[in-house]
Amino acid sequence: MPLFFLMLVIWRRLARQMAQACERRAHLYPQRPPGRLNATEQRVILQAKAQMQLPVDSPLSTTFSPTLTATLNHHPQENDMSDIQIKELALWRKAGFEHLLIDVRRDVKRAAEADEISGGQWHNPALWMDWKDQVAATAPGQPIVVYCAYGHELSQALAVCLRALGRDARHLTGGIEVWRKAGLPVAVLTKSGGSS
């Protein structure tokens, strides 16, 4: 019995010392005004709304606490963040969440389909070694969404490449094909509609 009380006293003393150490270091961490969300928290909220199929302007964002946001961030399926679903990207676009959209369909396929998801930029996948560093340096802090015709090897491989360069890059699951089938808007290509 005395050993138990001794351990309890030691444990309390250690807990008190840890609490004091945390209080002394609190000034080192920047304080954010309440109600302001960083980009990661905004993205997590938009993902949760997409999964629950809620409208963008629903009040869910005001009910998210930092603890819940952190929990959602560490969800096993969210941890990899290597892909993005069609409804999630549509929600990002509707909410005005800033992201970089990259079309990596082969030039022949892109010309044959003659459309694109508006607001994106096309980069020739055959020349990816020439443009990967430029894209990785563009708009730091914004997630990159890479899409191809069907969301298979091209977009997945190039998203992996951009993640290796330190960017939050995801491939669009199902590509532009599923985007069209969902009835989401596409823009008709002009004759000169191309980048690198």
Side-chain angles (χ1 to χ4, degrees), residues 14-42:
L14 284 173
R16 194 175 308 122
Q17 288 173 349
M18 287 176 62
Q20 290 170 349
C22 289
E23 287 174 10
R24 284 193 301 268
R25 296 179 139 220
H27 72 281
L28 298 175
Y29 303 104
Q31 296 295 318
R32 190 176 62 213
R36 303 284 305 271
L37 301 175
N38 65 27
T40 303
E41 292 167 335
Q42 289 174 5

Side-chain angles (χ1 to χ4, degrees), residues 32-33 35-48 61 64 69-70 72-73 78 81 84 88 92 95-100 139-144 167-168 170:
R32 190 176 62 213
R36 303 284 305 271
L37 301 175
N38 65 27
T40 303
E41 292 167 335
Q42 289 174 5
R43 186 169 58 244
V44 168
I45 289 167
L46 287 172
Q47 288 169 345
S61 59
F64 266 66
T69 301
L72 283 172
N73 259 344
E78 303 283 329
M81 292 206 177
I84 183 169
E88 187 179 347
W92 280 19
F97 185 76
E98 292 185 356
H99 61 282
L100 194 59
Q142 289 184 16
I144 299 175
R167 293 303 300 268
D168 174 7
R170 304 122 186 268

Side-chain angles (χ1 to χ4, degrees), residues 147-182:
Y147 75 92
C148 61
Y150 305 106
H152 295 301
E153 293 81 11
L154 273 177
S155 58
Q156 290 176 19
L158 291 169
V160 167
C161 172
L162 292 170
R163 280 199 305 277
L165 292 171
R167 293 303 300 268
D168 174 7
R170 304 122 186 268
H171 70 276
L172 183 63
T173 304
I176 194 170
E177 179 71 16
V178 175
W179 181 269
R180 274 191 227 104
K181 285 181 181 175

Side-chain angles (χ1 to χ4, degrees), residues 67-145:
T67 307
L68 182 55
T69 301
T71 304
L72 283 172
N73 259 344
H74 293 92
H75 191 279
Q77 293 174 343
E78 303 283 329
N79 229 4
D80 182 17
M81 292 206 177
S82 61
D83 67 346
I84 183 169
Q85 301 296 317
I86 300 296
K87 62 183 178 182
E88 187 179 347
L89 180 59
L91 191 61
W92 280 19
R93 294 169 67 79
K94 183 177 177 187
F97 185 76
E98 292 185 356
H99 61 282
L100 194 59
L101 186 64
I102 307 291
D103 179 355
V104 293
R105 288 175 291 169
R106 291 183 176 87
D107 50 357
V108 175
K109 180 72 172 169
R110 186 170 191 265
E113 292 178 341
D115 62 358
E116 65 181 351
I117 301 173
S118 64
Q121 48 185 267
W122 177 73
H123 289 286
N124 190 337
L127 304 174
W128 70 277
M129 289 293 287
D130 297 336
W131 55 259
K132 65 178 175 54
D133 294 321
Q134 176 196 0
V135 169
T138 304
Q142 289 184 16
I144 299 175
V145 177

